[in-house]
Amino acid sequence: MLQSQIGPRLSEKTTCKISWDDITLNSYSMDASSYIVKPAAVAFPRNEKDVIKILKFASRHKIPVTPRGGGTGLVGGALGRGIILDMRHFNTVRIGHGVVQVGSGVFKGELDRVLRKHGKFFGPNPSVGPFCTVGGMIGTNASGSHSLKYGSTIDNLIGIKIVTSKGNLVSFPKSNAIAKKVLKIIGSDIQKQFPRITKNSCGYRIDKVTANSNTQKIIAGSEGTLGIIVSARLKTISLPRRTVLIITSYRTIKEAVADAPRILKIGPSSVEIIDRNIVRHIKTRLPRGAKCLLFVEFDDSVTKKKIKAKHVLSGRIVTVTSDPRQIRQWWTYRNSALSYSLKSTSKQETASSLIEDATVPVHRLSLLLDLVEHLTSKYPMRVITYGHAGNGNLHIRPILKKKDSRLLGKIAQEFFSGVISIGGSITGEHGDGLARSKFVKVQYGSEIYSKFRKIKQLFDPANILNPGKIVI
Ligand SMILES: Cc1cc2nc3c(=O)[nH]c(=O)nc-3n(C[C@H](O)[C@H](O)[C@H](O)COP(=O)(O)OP(=O)(O)OC[C@H]3O[C@@H](n4cnc5c(N)ncnc54)[C@H](O)[C@@H]3O)c2cc1C
């Protein structure tokens, strides 16, 4: 079928809104990455039946389908040439005891608002704040500044309902035929072949799927390639009564990361880092020579931990505060790191979206920084660094003097093989998407990659679900 026929033909088959005008297609051709892919049509399903009909149509005509939430993904995951499914109408939130049942199109901001009224919150908190959706967070296995204590989305996903490429509704965890096949493909003893880190969004997280009771986790981080998430059950946590934030300054980023393993021993909820490219945008007086800041937060037994923290932090303490207004202000600085880093890039320079999300074991962060130092001395580039030091997950963005995709590809290969040899992952929370899918096999090797292929084949034999992502 011609691209131009997809919209009109699909609208004859469904009752929900289908758009294929140029303005809509152009706006859905972008997300928060630098990629541009123009789709053929955008569908706005209102319920499960709509999704089923669309998938049956797409399956019959072999048209790619890409689900989309808030479009805040950083790797082009929500971009595709065929039909984009905008899941905004899947917006229900039902609170239970320690769980919340949500539609996949619910925005994080709305989820937070409803949970807050009940004294609860959802652990993973991407810095993009309210603008991402539950579907997108599950799709990328998103994390955030407090994932150190509360885990990534995969750790908080209790149940899920998806529509498969053939238009079947499937729920996990359940002892159904597909779950049995998933477990058979995964087999046993595969954990050894996955990096020993606390955050990982590379490939399918088959290392977390060990029994019928946790088969829902196969969908976390699957980037719309295994099924369209319609709803999910998520774990909720009681809001802490008090938090304390300690900001410490350092002369170098290496000094700051050296403190991280010690501080982890006293149980912080968050340990975040920003380098001087971000620090210089902060409108607060900082000690002379402050080139890097560490954000350390506690949300239980705060007094004792506050005192202990002061002993293990080798930098200069800028502030220790439990004032919610001040804490919010500091987090605004931290959460603006991506936009500050773009402000720190000149018009001639080009920032990488390929290398930006590596995770290594925390005690090996200094090796990651050595690797970066080696690359900056070898190639014409500098780096901007910020991220989740407590999880060993640094957003190190190479900034090249001018656009040169061949050079960037070369640097990426060297960087990724360095990260893997340190025992890390090429992506801790943003996923593979158009940026990194071709490196998934490099990360895991042929044996695990062939299991990924079999999983993809099982859920999506015709390869219509977000093709070109994860398994290529
Ligand atoms: C300024 C900024 C800061 C960020 N900070 C963080 C951070 O701290 N931590 C972090 O983890 N990420 C961060 N991100 C990345 C991004 O916000 C997250 O990945 C987020 O989870 C994406 O959600 P979304 O709804 O925008 O998803 P989208 O971008 O729309 O989609 C992301 C992926 O999920 C899939 N998907 C979406 N909905 C569904 C569905 N219903 N069914 C199946 N698959 C689906 C898509 O196909 C795509 O592959 C940041 C992004 C920005 C721009």
Side-chain angles (χ1 to χ4, degrees):
M1 190 181 297
L2 292 172
Q3 284 279 98
S4 58
Q5 293 173 329
I6 294 175
R9 290 280 299 277
L10 180 59
S11 78
E12 286 164 17
K13 300 279 171 206
T14 53
T15 49
C16 67
K17 183 177 158 194
I18 310 289
S19 299
W20 62 92
D21 60 284
D22 249 9
I23 294 177
T24 308
L25 298 186
N26 285 334
S27 61
Y28 282 81
S29 66
M30 290 174 275
D31 60 4
S33 71
S34 53
Y35 299 95
I36 299 177
V37 182
K38 197 168 174 180
V42 181
F44 300 84
R46 300 201 77 91
N47 49 44
E48 291 168 359
K49 275 190 187 152
D50 286 341
V51 177
I52 290 169
K53 272 189 195 158
I54 294 167
L55 282 174
K56 285 192 167 163
F57 170 84
S59 186
R60 203 172 314 124
H61 299 286
K62 302 222 172 339
I63 300 165
V65 177
T66 301
R68 180 177 176 114
T72 69
L74 291 164
V75 290
L79 308 180
R81 292 197 185 287
I83 301 163
I84 302 291
L85 288 189
D86 183 321
M87 300 299 285
R88 68 178 65 194
H89 296 304
F90 290 73
N91 56 5
T92 52
V93 181
R94 278 203 348 253
I95 309 265
H97 191 67
V99 295
V100 61
Q101 170 86 29
V102 266
S104 63
V106 170
F107 279 86
K108 175 73 168 43
E110 176 61 6
L111 178 63
D112 289 343
R113 193 187 64 76
V114 178
L115 290 179
R116 208 177 300 121
K117 281 204 286 193
H118 292 78
K120 302 279 181 186
F121 73 106
F122 178 56
N125 63 328
S127 310
V128 74
F131 307 108
C132 57
T133 64
V134 167
M137 288 183 72
I138 299 171
T140 55
N141 183 24
S143 302
S145 54
H146 292 77
S147 290
L148 178 60
K149 178 166 181 182
Y150 299 108
S152 301
T153 302
I154 197 167
D155 306 305
N156 292 276
L157 181 65
I158 298 172
I160 201 154
K161 198 197 265 187
I162 61 164
V163 180
T164 64
S165 65
K166 285 185 181 159
N168 299 321
L169 264 178
V170 181
S171 294
F172 297 109
K174 219 173 223 174
S175 169
N176 50 24
I178 197 159
K180 281 186 187 135
K181 285 183 187 159
V182 166
L183 290 168
K184 192 167 174 214
I185 293 170
I186 295 172
S188 57
D189 242 11
I190 52 127
Q191 280 72 18
K192 287 198 285 277
Q193 294 174 67
F194 277 71
R196 285 177 184 219
I197 45 178
T198 50
K199 282 166 75 172
N200 184 5
S201 284
C202 185
Y204 300 128
R205 291 301 306 277
I206 58 174
D207 57 318
K208 293 264 185 179
V209 182
T210 53
N212 266 321
S213 57
N214 52 34
T215 37
Q216 75 279 14
K217 294 182 193 252
I218 193 70
I219 304 301
S222 66
E223 300 185 18
T225 63
L226 299 182
I228 309 300
I229 305 159
V230 287
S231 63
R233 259 178 309 129
L234 308 173
K235 180 175 161 188
T236 61
I237 304 151
S238 295
L239 281 167
R241 269 179 291 165
R242 209 171 139 237
T243 49
V244 164
L245 178 65
I246 305 177
I247 305 290
T248 312
S249 82
Y250 297 84
R251 281 166 310 170
T252 67
I253 197 160
K254 269 199 165 170
E255 286 175 13
V257 301
D259 274 358
R262 275 195 303 275
I263 195 90
L264 289 191
K265 290 197 178 131
I266 50 175
S269 54
S270 183
V271 179
E272 298 280 298
I273 198 166
I274 53 176
D275 81 353
R276 61 178 161 177
N277 296 287
I278 315 297
V279 170
R280 71 190 175 90
H281 294 277
I282 292 182
K283 305 270 180 289
T284 299
R285 243 183 107 103
L286 294 171
R288 192 188 278 265
K291 295 280 196 284
C292 172
L293 296 183
L294 211 57
F295 291 53
V296 179
E297 193 168 275
F298 299 100
D299 65 7
D300 56 10
S301 333
V302 286
T303 319
K304 261 197 220 151
K305 288 184 174 176
K306 184 172 83 180
I307 295 163
K308 280 191 186 162
K310 284 184 176 172
H311 292 296
V312 296
L313 289 166
S314 66
R316 280 184 68 179
I317 303 234
V318 177
T319 189
V320 179
T321 178
S322 47
D323 173 354
R325 204 180 44 85
Q326 282 185 19
I327 291 180
R328 257 198 314 277
Q329 181 57 60
W330 279 106
W331 281 115
T332 305
Y333 293 141
R334 162 62 191 94
N335 293 338
S336 305
L338 178 55
S339 72
Y340 290 157
S341 72
L342 296 176
K343 275 191 193 164
S344 301
T345 310
S346 73
K347 275 200 183 123
Q348 294 75 40
E349 290 180 317
T350 173
S352 153
S353 50
L354 190 54
I355 301 170
E356 48 90 47
D357 189 32
T359 302
V360 298
V362 185
H363 63 282
R364 291 189 166 170
L365 273 172
S366 63
L367 295 180
L368 181 65
L369 296 177
D370 288 345
L371 171 66
V372 172
E373 235 171 67
H374 167 70
L375 293 175
T376 45
S377 64
K378 186 168 170 190
Y379 297 108
M381 66 177 212
R382 63 188 179 93
V383 293
I384 296 179
T385 304
Y386 59 91
H388 316 285
N391 286 105
N393 177 208
L394 296 190
H395 301 310
I396 297 168
R397 271 181 191 263
I399 312 289
L400 267 57
K401 293 204 168 120
K402 60 178 184 1
K403 199 169 179 175
D404 184 341
S405 6
R406 256 190 61 200
L407 176 63
L408 185 60
K410 203 169 161 204
I411 297 168
Q413 271 190 352
E414 243 178 89
F415 179 74
F416 291 151
S417 56
V419 166
I420 294 164
S421 70
I422 298 170
S425 163
I426 62 173
T427 170
E429 57 177 21
H430 296 161
D432 302 312
L434 293 173
R436 289 181 285 262
S437 290
K438 67 173 181 230
F439 296 98
V440 173
K441 194 173 180 183
V442 180
Q443 172 79 56
Y444 294 108
S446 316
E447 193 188 331
I448 293 292
Y449 194 73
S450 82
K451 288 184 191 282
F452 289 172
R453 269 194 192 290
K454 286 180 189 159
I455 295 279
K456 171 71 175 169
Q457 175 76 19
L458 173 67
F459 282 85
D460 180 24
N463 192 26
I464 60 158
L465 289 176
N466 213 2
K469 320 284 163 51
I470 301 186
V471 170
I472 51 174

